[in-house]
Amino acid sequence: MSDHETKPAETIARAAKAAFEASQLVPASERVIALQEIRKELEASKDAILLANNKDLEAAQAEVDAGRMSASLLKRLDLGKADKWDSMLQGVSDVAALPDPTGNVTYASELDDNLDLYRVSCPIGVLLVIFESRPEVVVNIAALAIKSGNAAILKGGKESNQTALLLSKAIQTGLSRTSLPDTYIQTIQTRAEVSSLLELDQYIDLVIPRGSNSLVRNIQNNTRIPVMGHADGLCSIFLDETANVEKAVRIVVDSKTDYPAACNAVETLIVHESLLNTVWPVVAKALLAADIQLLCDPPTLSVLHSLSPPPQNLSNIVHPSTPESYSTEHLSLTLSVISLPSLQSAIQFINSHSSHHTDAIVTESQASASTFCRGVDSSGTFVNASTRFADGFRYGFGTEVGISTGRIHARGPVGLEGLVIYKYMLRSKGDKGHIVGEFGVGEGKKQYKHQKIDTDHVPF
Amino acid sequence: MSDHETKPAETIARAAKAAFEASQLVPASERVIALQEIRKELEASKDAILLANNKDLEAAQAEVDAGRMSASLLKRLDLGKADKWDSMLQGVSDVAALPDPTGNVTYASELDDNLDLYRVSCPIGVLLVIFESRPEVVVNIAALAIKSGNAAILKGGKESNQTALLLSKAIQTGLSRTSLPDTYIQTIQTRAEVSSLLELDQYIDLVIPRGSNSLVRNIQNNTRIPVMGHADGLCSIFLDETANVEKAVRIVVDSKTDYPAACNAVETLIVHESLLNTVWPVVAKALLAADIQLLCDPPTLSVLHSLSPPPQNLSNIVHPSTPESYSTEHLSLTLSVISLPSLQSAIQFINSHSSHHTDAIVTESQASASTFCRGVDSSGTFVNASTRFADGFRYGFGTEVGISTGRIHARGPVGLEGLVIYKYMLRSKGDKGHIVGEFGVGEGKKQYKHQKIDTDHVPF
């Protein structure tokens, strides 16, 4: 990038930490003002940003023409398309309007007369967020970081560098009109910078990679910093013995076709053996009618071949599955199908094959539903509902940082709560302060009270 | 270990994951029964365990005699000493009696008529816990893991291998009398096993190292698995401009002397410059009277040299500090001292020198207290209270997994809550199940309700 002055990674990281620390003494209301100023600056810079976006699009078109980039990736770069620009701005205002996730007391206890303990939600610190292609993600993530009080260093896809550069300038200009440091949000543009930053665990507190499994794994392999991965989803649906056929059809078709490229689309269908000649043929016909390619195990395949009349496109669209079929995230109109003899075997199959993202059961049995939800070790376990419901907006979080495939800190769809942690504040109001030596067993020693304090904010 | 059959690490890890998955269908009450059975089995095996402990002690004595082990480490190995055995057993019963940290609903929302979302606390999965020397930690950690529903693989210090082997046999015998798998808790004995296990992120979900900074760092460098580190504490106390002298003396002396080897003992004292000739000499005399060695910067040192009459042991016990003094965890009766010109500079000094564990201010100013607690980026920020209060039992958690020096998932003293995460359960009670395609903008489309459900448990 000719017009992007490259700073050493350590300078960037140290500035981010300093910005975070300074921001801790700035009231949370200033962060809302910052989001409003950023929105204003984006509006004022719209023409220049879309011009830069056109340059990115032209460069990408050349890549597509040369067969080095997919047309679908190109489409995702376009910031001028339909209501994308307005949605991006509205997203900033929406995040600004969400409740402040920091400063909330989640545990408060009187340890002794005049000795009060408060557990208070607070930002994590400095985030390093790595994502792919879509340039508006720079603005989304910046808004989430600012709202939650974290400093952030952002790295987008190189295809959107020109656009991201101007978006990030607008963000910094917006910040510069507030009392927050303008290094609160910084962007970087090269993989080499990412590699250097991954070494700097003294400055960076959390890495959030949003992309492929290999991106997440590569980062986990190369840093001591905690990683909150947002990777693939290999979701499955189990049709239980008692599955209602209408529910089965609706849920499987919706889970596969509503948005096949999403991580919460279904990839594997598990059919209880007892349904092979009842529910399965009906579901299969609906799937075939929706042009879904099926990769079937022998029992489900043989049922399809014995149907009368045979489905028209059977030989083109139905194929035998291989063991790999059940560990593949198709992200397309392809579905792997297997039959299993019991709820128990389905749970075991899911636990060993799914990516622990979201798995659903179709059942009329409350007992099966309960067993499935407890036994399946995934971030979402659904009963008679499409896997596509696994989403921060649908869950009611107002926004989504991503969908965490880890099981530490935040799991599943992550809202602003996933970007905060807590600290403990302890205050003595006693005449002589409080010391530990006065507590214990024996004469004259004090005992801890541990009396719950009913409050949602820190009184000092 | 001659009588310890070594299994390949992958066999151990796979068995742990299978045990965890199987346990998810066992009611939580069975985990309480398991703890009771383990206590009974420990009681029944007391003689054999203490005999094994004697063998460990004899081997350790030889190491001490040869100058290869410290006498203090030897002492920590002794399970027969004072009330250690009874405390260990009582700990198992105490953990059994704590409220179940799993199965609690922390967020519930009606997304649509008959479509209910529940966020439910649940175990993390398989824990790998690595700790040092004290053999009773095997039992403590096993109790915490079982109570929170996690499977665990435990590695203690090699000095206590004989004892740990019998303790773990008792744990497995206790488990075998329940419907939980006896591979729910497994112990390993070699570093080579640890190295192999750190590769197996498909089976192990969280590594908890409890020990030195170098242990924690070494593990972070060698695994993709998330690490919840329990490492050093470099705690500080700031005597603010308005510090009350009596509180200052009591809090600094208690923080340093109550248990100098603990991670929550104070290591650095920061004196506001305006107190150099008022509060500081009084605090210094109290510290010298308690035989605390002081490493002082020039201003605090010069005050001590000009005292009249000079303190008796001044030249032996007071020395000039070096830059390293302020990044050293002394863990002994040594305290580094520095004077700074302002609250702001003290906050900056703490943020760049402390280990973000626990830091305290002594002040009579509510404004300073508030600024300090917000500005200091540590897991504990205390006002007029000893740093030694940073402890899970003192905080009222009933138990302590350790004190996390990370800021993801759990921070500061960690109770059972630190060993759980959550999953989302979504249930449709609708006649046709629920699909995403019915929601959205446009005619006939449904809108999400997002109506809070007031419940603390899942009704299915």
Side-chain angles (χ1 to χ4, degrees), chain A residues 210-433:
Chain A
R210 305 200 334 175
S212 64
N213 271 338
S214 64
L215 171 74
V216 173
R217 225 173 150 78
N218 185 271
I219 286 171
Q220 287 171 327
N221 277 337
N222 286 291
T223 189
R224 277 186 300 274
I225 306 170
V227 176
M228 187 155 76
H230 297 256
D232 301 349
L234 211 161
C235 304
S236 54
I237 297 176
F238 171 54
L239 304 183
D240 183 41
E241 228 173 342
T242 63
N244 170 289
V245 65
E246 188 187 1
K247 292 182 187 176
V249 167
R250 278 164 47 85
I251 291 164
V252 176
V253 171
D254 183 86
S255 298
K256 184 74 248 180
T257 64
D258 185 63
Y259 187 4
C263 63
N264 56 13
V266 68
E267 306 293 2
T268 300
L269 176 66
I270 304 168
V271 180
H272 192 286
E273 274 178 11
S274 67
L275 307 181
L276 274 172
N277 295 301
T278 54
V279 172
W280 166 234
V282 184
V283 171
K285 281 180 201 164
L287 290 167
L288 295 175
D291 281 326
I292 294 163
Q293 171 174 297
L294 302 176
L295 304 177
C296 295
D297 70 337
T300 56
L301 191 63
S302 115
V303 167
L304 295 187
H305 281 299
S306 63
L307 286 181
S308 156
Q312 274 200 322
N313 47 358
L314 194 65
S315 57
N316 295 329
I317 207 170
V318 175
H319 301 282
S321 63
T322 64
E324 291 69 45
S325 306
Y326 304 106
S327 39
T328 303
E329 191 187 19
H330 305 296
L331 293 174
S332 64
L333 288 177
T334 297
L335 183 68
S336 310
V337 186
I338 190 169
S339 59
L340 288 171
S342 64
L343 170 62
Q344 194 56 52
S345 56
I347 292 172
Q348 282 176 359
F349 184 88
I350 292 171
N351 283 340
S352 57
H353 288 81
S354 98
S355 68
H356 308 289
H357 185 298
T358 302
D359 299 282
I361 183 173
V362 180
T363 186
E364 295 301 301
S365 155
Q366 180 121 334
S368 294
S370 169
T371 300
F372 183 88
C373 288
R374 287 189 294 131
V376 168
D377 181 31
S378 294
S379 71
T381 54
F382 290 4
V383 181
N384 295 331
S386 168
T387 55
R388 289 273 300 135
F389 282 106
D391 173 281
F393 290 94
R394 290 176 193 143
Y395 278 11
F397 301 161
T399 187
E400 189 182 88
V401 177
I403 298 188
S404 168
T405 45
R407 59 180 79 206
I408 302 301
H409 191 75
R411 187 184 196 194
V414 179
L416 283 174
E417 271 185 45
L419 296 184
V420 301
I421 182 73
Y422 50 76
K423 68 203 287 189
Y424 290 93
M425 297 185 182
L426 179 67
R427 179 172 63 157
S428 165
K429 294 170 291 185
D431 289 345
K432 302 176 173 186

Side-chain angles (χ1 to χ4, degrees), chain A residues 421, chain B residues 228-229 379 403-408 410-412:
Chain A
I421 182 73
Chain B
M228 186 155 76
S379 72
I403 298 188
S404 167
T405 45
R407 58 179 77 204
I408 302 299
R411 189 183 194 192

